[in-house]
Amino acid sequence: MAAQFTAGTADVKDVARLAARGVTVGYGDRTVIDGLDVTIPPGVITTIIGPNGCGKSTLLRTLSRLLRPTGGTVVLDGEDIGRLRTRDVAKKLGLLPQAPVAPDGLTVADLVARGRHPHQSWLRQWSSDDADVVRRALAMTGVADLAERPVDSLSGGQRQRVWISMTLAQGTDLLLLDEPTTYLDLAHAIDVLDLVDDLHESGRTVVMVLHDLNLATRYSDHLVVMRAGAVLAQGHPRDVITAELLHEAFGLRARVVEDPVGDRPLIVPIGRAHVRPDA
Ligand SMILES: Nc1ncnc2c1ncn2[C@@H]1O[C@H](COP(=O)(O)OP(=O)(O)O)[C@@H](O)[C@H]1O
Ligand SMILES: [Mg+2]
């Protein structure tokens, strides 16, 4: 008998892998994000951009349940993330925090193996399946040759691949990466983003924070533009990136032109938004 699909049961709210609905969150008494709505579409790369301190990392931590909102909800695959067990969240999404630090002397293989923790318990110890997943994660990120090296002896680009490898070993198809290219030169940044694109091509949903606006535009299908804890715009880079928006979000004067090698807008900065007195 032919396989049958039961269509028509999914409504719009289930289309998003992950969403914030009216989320308010901060630290102590200080509210950083107030009533924010954001939708992460499935199977594409979503990139969050915005000025320093606007709340990008706070949003990513809230979407991965490291921070609990004081108002609103985060919805993961149709469920309120606040009601899920930590272990169940870890089996669905992996977060790579901004500037992670490995314990002194820890080897690449041991760090990546830590990605398997959510799958283990006193009943279910390390298995050959875990070893296979770790081996694949090392291979996919091109760091298998570095397995026995201490993480703190690696270059910035190698280290970033190792952290992504650990996040991959968690085995989730939803990855949240906070500034995976920070401190990398352009060639190494492109190398890491090509890897992120491979992960997307193999069916994963990726949410990342990037500082470089042109790389964000080039590598994402969905942009979320933040300023001062709020979302200014979200959508396809072609619809979102305009000179007006860049001015509003970053106080940047820029021209937006056609990218000569891609099908996305290219941002050419001119300078600060205010007119210099000697100009
Ligand atoms: N752990 C923390 N405790 C207190 N305040 C924090 C903490 N982390 C971030 N903040 C503050 O929250 C605001 C947003 O920070 P963050 O989300 O890290 O911004 P971004 O990632 O966009 O640079 C900033 O004002 C920052 O100082
Ligand atoms: Mg940040």
Side-chain angles (χ1 to χ4, degrees):
M1 198 175 84
Q4 292 194 344
F5 292 97
T6 44
T9 50
D11 64 30
V12 174
K13 79 177 188 329
D14 295 323
V15 171
R17 282 303 311 270
L18 189 60
R21 303 277 179 244
V23 159
T24 299
V25 66
Y27 303 92
D29 290 341
R30 185 156 165 256
T31 297
V32 172
I33 286 172
D34 194 5
L36 178 145
D37 289 300
V38 77
T39 299
I40 306 302
V44 303
I45 299 180
T46 296
T47 302
I48 304 169
I49 57 175
N52 290 329
C54 74
K56 302 179 297 296
S57 295
T58 302
L59 176 59
L60 224 55
R61 286 186 209 123
T62 310
L63 289 173
S64 57
R65 222 192 63 159
L66 280 187
L67 284 175
R68 301 276 188 153
T70 52
T73 45
V74 171
V75 181
L76 171 60
D77 291 333
E79 290 187 90
D80 177 352
I81 203 172
R83 293 175 185 271
L84 298 176
R85 294 185 314 161
T86 304
R87 187 175 282 265
D88 293 333
V89 174
K91 284 179 182 171
K92 287 199 162 204
L93 66 81
L95 170 72
L96 176 58
Q98 193 174 339
V101 179
D104 277 354
L106 191 75
T107 66
V108 168
D110 286 342
L111 179 76
V112 175
R114 289 186 178 202
R116 298 304 297 160
H117 277 181
H119 299 271
Q120 282 151 13
S121 64
W122 61 273
L123 273 177
R124 191 195 168 288
Q125 305 285 328
W126 184 260
S127 73
S128 60
D129 284 351
D130 293 313
D132 281 345
V133 174
V134 167
R135 214 173 297 124
R136 280 202 301 273
L138 289 166
M140 179 138 196
T141 51
V143 293
D145 292 348
L146 306 174
E148 299 313 318
R149 293 266 301 272
V151 177
D152 47 22
S153 73
L154 303 178
S155 72
Q158 291 171 326
R159 207 174 299 173
Q160 209 48 262
R161 286 174 161 274
V162 166
W163 281 107
I164 293 173
S165 181
M166 187 197 81
T167 313
L168 270 184
Q170 213 177 303
T172 68
D173 65 355
L174 180 52
L175 301 171
L176 281 62
L177 312 172
D178 198 346
E179 297 199 20
T181 61
T182 302
Y183 307 126
L184 302 184
D185 63 51
L186 185 58
H188 284 96
I190 296 277
D191 190 44
V192 165
L193 291 174
D194 280 343
L195 166 62
V196 170
D197 197 46
D198 292 344
L199 300 176
H200 149 250
E201 289 290 327
S202 63
R204 292 175 181 85
T205 301
V206 180
V207 187
M208 61 182 171
V209 174
L210 288 183
H211 264 298
D212 186 303
L213 301 179
N214 279 320
L215 293 181
T217 302
R218 171 77 69 85
Y219 280 90
S220 334
D221 295 305
H222 193 73
L223 281 183
V224 175
V225 187
M226 290 182 72
R227 195 194 64 181
V231 171
L232 282 186
Q234 54 184 313
H236 193 278
R238 272 195 296 273
D239 301 324
V240 164
I241 294 294
T242 62
E244 295 73 32
L245 176 99
L246 294 168
H247 185 202
E248 198 185 346
F250 297 93
L252 176 75
R253 275 198 307 147
R255 287 271 296 279
V256 176
V257 299
E258 277 296 307
D259 183 341
V261 300
D263 59 349
R264 301 289 167 83
L266 180 72
I267 299 161
V268 184
I270 300 169
R272 274 177 302 203
H274 63 81
V275 179
R276 284 169 44 196
D278 58 341

